[in-house]
Amino acid sequence: MTLENHLPPETQSLIDRAHTEMTQENWHDAAETLAELYEKLSTFEVNYRLVTALFMDEQYQLASSYADDFLLNYLDDEANFRMVVALAIQNQNFVYAQQLAVLWDGVDTREAVIQEIRDAEKNAEITMAATFKTIARQFYHLSDTDIIEQRDRYESGRHLPVDQFIIGAKYILVDPYATPIIRATLLEDLQKLKLDEDIQYRWLDDELYTANFSQIPLLTNSKVFEQIADLLDEKLSQDDPIALDMLAQQARFELTLIYPRVEEIVVDIENWVNATIDHYYGRQNNLELSSQKQWHDKVRNLTEDFFEK
């Protein structure tokens, strides 16, 4: 394993041990050693070896969680890309597997990987027919329950075959009793699947709208999202990095709730950010325009309520 020079002896010892264990294909011990090493040296090279060892040791869920730390790196190489998709398939997380698959530019590889997902879905439908039937029924009727159960049913629904997930998601998107943040998250899921068709959805004003989200930029590519992230970083990164992390996550969820009308709602980005920071520190702020403040207060309350449950 080729890593940085001048490492502490303890770290170098872990590198040497991991190299030996991987050479001997002692995957379980290698995974444990690499996990310890990764706490000291969180580089992609260590991450890759850790994910590989966990994959070979059939610890697929743990491998996938580590791979997420460097997901963009894995998507730069075909072999690595196919490994992270294979992890999602092994975890029967078919929706996520397809969301990864459509990110690959090469048509032949992308189609081959999507076919692997379809084949895995068919096998799972045979071996887990009763389980899928229960998950689908609970997912489609997600709004019958409280917010905590809605979150659980949503997460379970992502393990359905993609076609079944899409059917349920479309139904929930117009359901007035589904939690707004669940509807917004499902909308983002369908967009990441690059579903090229008109989709009807219920927005925060409880009105129904229709849009083809494959033709609309992702939230994270919008100017408002980028500028809010930059302003939060500018105002907090030096003085309060903990607040920055919390408020960046909060802003992400708030903007998800008002998407795709982000630019229409957030017309004064500076005061949106200032109001966010002032609320966090318990300070008064009355500088937002009333129309913007109305929606900002609403999505802030929804976000805080969602995470406090």
Side-chain angles (χ1 to χ4, degrees), residues 228-242:
I228 286 177
D230 288 345
L231 274 173
L232 283 171
D233 185 71
E234 176 185 316
K235 293 173 182 290
L236 295 172
S237 61
Q238 297 298 319
D239 298 328
D240 197 341
I242 294 176

Side-chain angles (χ1 to χ4, degrees), residues 146-164:
D146 61 25
I147 188 171
I148 297 174
E149 182 66 18
Q150 285 190 34
R151 287 188 303 198
D152 292 342
R153 290 188 178 193
Y154 158 69
E155 289 297 337
S156 295
R158 287 172 56 85
H159 292 268
L160 288 169
V162 175
D163 286 348
Q164 292 185 36

Side-chain angles (χ1 to χ4, degrees), residues 92 128-142 152-161 164:
Q92 295 186 340
M128 299 180 61
T131 300
F132 279 163
K133 186 176 180 180
T134 300
I135 291 173
R137 183 178 66 252
Q138 293 179 344
F139 179 55
Y140 295 174
H141 298 282
L142 171 149
D152 292 342
R153 290 188 178 193
Y154 158 69
E155 289 297 337
S156 295
R158 287 172 56 85
H159 292 268
L160 288 169
Q164 292 185 36

Side-chain angles (χ1 to χ4, degrees), residues 241-260:
I242 294 176
L244 173 61
D245 288 343
M246 293 182 64
L247 294 182
Q249 182 186 36
Q250 178 181 315
R252 172 74 163 82
F253 274 88
E254 290 174 354
L255 296 176
T256 297
L257 282 165
I258 60 174
Y259 182 82

Side-chain angles (χ1 to χ4, degrees), residues 12-291:
Q12 187 60 55
S13 175
L14 289 171
I15 293 171
D16 295 341
R17 190 202 312 168
H19 177 76
T20 300
E21 290 165 345
M22 292 190 78
T23 301
Q24 296 172 347
E25 298 185 0
N26 184 355
W27 303 116
H28 185 77
D29 288 349
E32 291 187 345
T33 302
L34 287 161
E36 186 178 349
L37 175 61
Y38 190 56
E39 292 180 2
K40 303 176 182 296
L41 198 63
S42 301
T43 65
F44 173 63
E45 187 170 4
V46 176
N47 180 282
Y48 172 77
R49 283 162 174 76
L50 173 57
V51 170
T52 300
L54 288 167
F55 186 100
M56 298 302 293
D57 197 41
E58 300 183 2
Q59 297 188 59
Y60 302 121
Q61 288 189 342
L62 190 55
S64 185
S65 67
Y66 276 115
D68 284 345
D69 291 349
F70 286 92
L71 185 57
L72 293 179
N73 297 74
Y74 284 97
L75 298 180
D76 278 343
D77 174 84
E78 182 176 337
N80 294 344
F81 155 73
R82 296 189 79 139
M83 180 168 69
V84 292
V85 175
L87 283 171
I89 291 173
Q90 289 290 346
N91 291 324
Q92 295 186 340
N93 198 339
F94 301 118
V95 172
Y96 182 55
Q98 183 137 333
Q99 288 172 339
L100 290 173
V102 299
L103 294 175
W104 192 256
D105 289 332
V107 176
D108 291 344
T109 296
R110 183 171 66 248
E111 290 183 351
V113 167
I114 290 175
Q115 186 56 53
E116 291 173 7
I117 298 170
R118 296 289 84 79
D119 292 342
E121 287 174 339
K122 289 177 182 177
N123 290 334
E125 286 180 301
I126 293 171
T127 60
M128 299 180 61
T131 300
F132 279 163
K133 186 176 180 180
T134 300
I135 291 173
R137 183 178 66 252
Q138 293 179 344
F139 179 55
Y140 295 174
H141 298 282
L142 171 149
S143 66
D144 294 347
T145 61
D146 61 25
I147 188 171
I148 297 174
E149 182 66 18
Q150 285 190 34
R151 287 188 303 198
D152 292 342
R153 290 188 178 193
Y154 158 69
E155 289 297 337
S156 295
R158 287 172 56 85
H159 292 268
L160 288 169
V162 175
D163 286 348
Q164 292 185 36
F165 173 82
I166 290 172
I167 291 169
K170 287 180 178 178
Y171 179 77
I172 296 165
L173 283 175
V174 298
D175 184 348
Y177 301 106
T179 306
I181 202 163
I182 293 290
R183 292 201 306 260
T185 306
L186 284 169
L187 196 61
E188 186 175 36
D189 269 332
L190 293 185
Q191 187 178 34
K192 288 180 178 178
L193 288 169
K194 296 191 176 178
L195 203 61
D196 187 12
E197 61 182 72
D198 287 342
I199 297 171
Q200 191 175 44
Y201 64 98
R202 187 177 298 276
W203 195 70
L204 277 181
D205 58 5
D206 210 34
E207 297 293 329
L208 295 176
Y209 299 86
T210 302
N212 185 328
F213 284 85
S214 69
Q215 299 173 8
I216 300 174
L218 288 166
L219 167 64
T220 49
N221 292 335
S222 72
K223 290 182 179 179
V224 171
F225 180 89
E226 293 175 354
Q227 289 175 17
I228 286 177
D230 288 345
L231 274 173
L232 283 171
D233 185 71
E234 176 185 316
K235 293 173 182 290
L236 295 172
S237 61
Q238 297 298 319
D239 298 328
D240 197 341
I242 294 176
L244 173 61
D245 288 343
M246 293 182 64
L247 294 182
Q249 182 186 36
Q250 178 181 315
R252 172 74 163 82
F253 274 88
E254 290 174 354
L255 296 176
T256 297
L257 282 165
I258 60 174
Y259 182 82
R261 299 172 63 184
V262 173
E263 294 186 3
E264 176 186 340
I265 300 300
V266 187
V267 294
D268 185 344
I269 295 172
E270 180 86 26
N271 274 323
W272 179 286
V273 171
N274 288 338
T276 295
I277 294 172
D278 286 342
H279 179 78
Y280 176 81
Y281 289 114
R283 302 189 296 243
Q284 285 292 112
N285 183 303
N286 298 308
L287 299 177
E288 282 190 287
L289 296 171
S290 60
S291 57

